[in-house]
Amino acid sequence: MNLWAQYCKFCAVLLIFLGINQSNAKICDLFEGSWVPDSSSPLYNSNSCPFIEREFNCQNNGRSDTLYLHYKWQPHACNLPRFDGQDFLQRFKGKSIMFVGDSLSRNQWQSLTCLLYTTLPSTKYNVSRIGDVSTFTFTDFDVKLMLNRNVFLVDVVREAKGRILKLDSIEGGKLWKGIDIFIFNTWHWWNRRGATQPWDYIQVGQQLYKDMDRVVAFEKALNTWAKWVDTNIDPAKTKVFFQGISPSHYNGSTWDEPSAKSCVGQKEPLAGSTYPGGLPYALTVLKKVLGTIKKPVTLLDITNLSLLRKDGHPSIYGLEGRTGMDCSHWCLAGLPDTWNQILYSLIL
Ligand SMILES: *[C@@H]1O[C@H](CO)[C@@H](O)[C@H](O)[C@H]1NC(C)=O
Ligand SMILES: *[C@@H]1O[C@H](CO)[C@@H](O)[C@H](O)[C@H]1NC(C)=O
Ligand SMILES: *[C@@H]1O[C@H](CO)[C@@H](O)[C@H](O)[C@H]1NC(C)=O
């Protein structure tokens, strides 16, 4: 109990009445917890979601172990409310939700469309794509789930010299109009080099660089995005989330299993709440930038709970079923369903 509340019984009663008992609010942190076996998980069967992309459909691509599907996220001090798809669709009647970012955004967008569709399989939907924006509409409810592929949030522009990654230009934001809920994300593409690096120069102000520290570049881009939020978001109309940093599992040393050279063959999550390898530095940078934004932005702080899921990646059962090693994305059904469950309870 707060000290001042001790001196003011009425205030204490009022606090409890208003449901803003601070000690309670602090204890129920949805992001602190551990994974526990759960026979009612997963929330849907991947076979019952007809539009799930092959890349994420691990079971269909030959993954035969299923233990990883039967865990739920258990916060330390409270329970995660069960996902209620019908309530979700009714609540967001006429509204639009947009994911903006790289393929981890696509992973979460697909998860949400599957979660909603499988709770109401008779509901009508259509999918359309214009440029870099895909829209999944639940037509009976006029709920739009949109995905804008935009891997850096700031712009990459083709000019005479080559492809320029412009850290202080965010013209891509022109597509972010009239949206009720945003879930932004960027990180995984900042470390790309060689053939998969989609730019030739980085521009800051008028200065061109052949390269620079990628975390510094990431922070500059996030600051540009933060300014966009402060300039363009009306908090009365639009809620803004940031997906957080989704971790990869290519190095077993980071989960105290040095013999593991990737996530392949991992069948269970780590027990407990602590990841031996610690948190990615990108998360520190992200939190620092989010702390400078004046408009309300909620961090969907999924890094810790996802670090524990070394078993949740497609490994060799992704990449459209071809060989390859994917320890970055997540199988569906799977971990992103939990991200969406948390998103849902934060929106409520
Ligand atoms: C999808 O449904 C919405 C809402 O009914 C409608 O406005 C839109 O034109 C439809 N799009 C396609 C591609 O059919
Ligand atoms: C794997 O992680 C360990 C511990 O963090 C580190 O010392 C090692 O260099 C990493 N190996 C690779 C190949 O990145
Ligand atoms: C997140 O994980 C790090 C590294 O395992 C740990 O130090 C930290 O206490 C965890 N935070 C929460 C909120 O669980």
Side-chain angles (χ1 to χ4, degrees), residues 29 31-33 273-279 304 307:
D29 181 340
F31 302 108
E32 274 182 41
S273 309
T274 307
Y275 191 69
L279 291 163
N304 270 53
L307 276 168

Side-chain angles (χ1 to χ4, degrees), residues 54-257:
R54 212 170 151 200
E55 183 183 352
F56 306 134
N57 198 343
C58 301
Q59 293 290 314
N60 217 41
N61 293 336
R63 182 167 180 175
S64 57
D65 63 303
T66 55
L67 195 56
Y68 76 97
L69 293 167
H70 305 296
Y71 282 90
K72 72 167 180 189
W73 177 244
Q74 181 61 61
H76 288 316
C78 48
N79 292 320
L80 200 51
R82 189 141 182 100
F83 188 85
D84 182 342
Q86 184 141 13
D87 171 71
F88 189 109
L89 289 172
Q90 267 154 4
R91 214 175 267 273
F92 293 109
K93 222 173 183 117
K95 299 206 191 280
S96 48
I97 299 172
M98 185 187 258
F99 292 88
V100 183
D102 57 30
S103 52
L104 274 316
S105 293
R106 184 158 49 85
N107 220 171
Q108 190 180 358
W109 172 71
Q110 276 244 309
S111 154
L112 187 55
T113 57
C114 286
L115 278 169
L116 292 170
Y117 173 78
T118 51
T119 37
L120 278 174
S122 60
T123 192
K124 291 193 209 65
Y125 68 88
N126 69 38
V127 194
S128 63
R129 181 170 175 177
I130 300 169
D132 286 327
V133 180
S134 304
T135 304
F136 189 109
T137 310
F138 285 93
T139 49
D140 295 337
F141 296 86
D142 192 23
V143 171
K144 289 189 174 59
L145 299 184
M146 305 167 89
L147 174 70
N148 174 206
R149 182 180 185 278
N150 182 331
V151 301
F152 297 112
L153 300 184
V154 294
D155 301 327
V156 179
V157 181
R158 202 174 274 279
E159 290 180 359
K161 251 180 136 52
R163 300 160 300 172
I164 321 279
L165 173 58
K166 301 192 172 191
L167 299 187
D168 37 32
S169 172
I170 191 156
E171 294 292 308
K174 286 182 176 149
L175 295 174
W176 311 336
K177 292 265 154 68
I179 304 293
D180 299 285
I181 296 179
F182 281 112
I183 304 97
F184 288 97
N185 147 53
T186 181
W187 168 239
H188 281 240
W189 282 68
W190 290 93
N191 273 318
R192 293 212 173 192
R193 285 159 216 276
T196 62
Q197 174 189 308
W199 50 265
D200 304 303
Y201 294 92
I202 294 182
Q203 185 175 336
V204 185
Q206 293 309 310
Q207 194 71 38
L208 277 191
Y209 300 89
K210 192 67 198 144
D211 205 343
M212 68 165 66
D213 183 298
R214 302 305 181 81
V215 178
V216 170
F218 170 65
E219 181 169 354
K220 286 185 189 300
L222 281 180
N223 278 318
T224 301
W225 167 79
K227 262 186 233 130
W228 182 90
V229 170
D230 273 336
T231 312
N232 292 281
I233 293 294
D234 173 358
K237 294 201 179 105
T238 307
K239 258 184 159 34
V240 180
F241 289 88
F242 202 99
Q243 189 193 47
I245 306 293
S246 171
S248 303
H249 291 91
Y250 289 100
N251 179 354
S253 296
T254 61
W255 66 88
D256 283 350
E257 191 184 337

Side-chain angles (χ1 to χ4, degrees), residues 281-296:
Y281 182 62
L283 183 63
T284 309
V285 173
L286 173 61
K287 285 184 174 171
K288 179 175 150 199
V289 174
L290 292 181
T292 66
I293 302 184
K294 291 172 202 75
K295 300 281 170 71

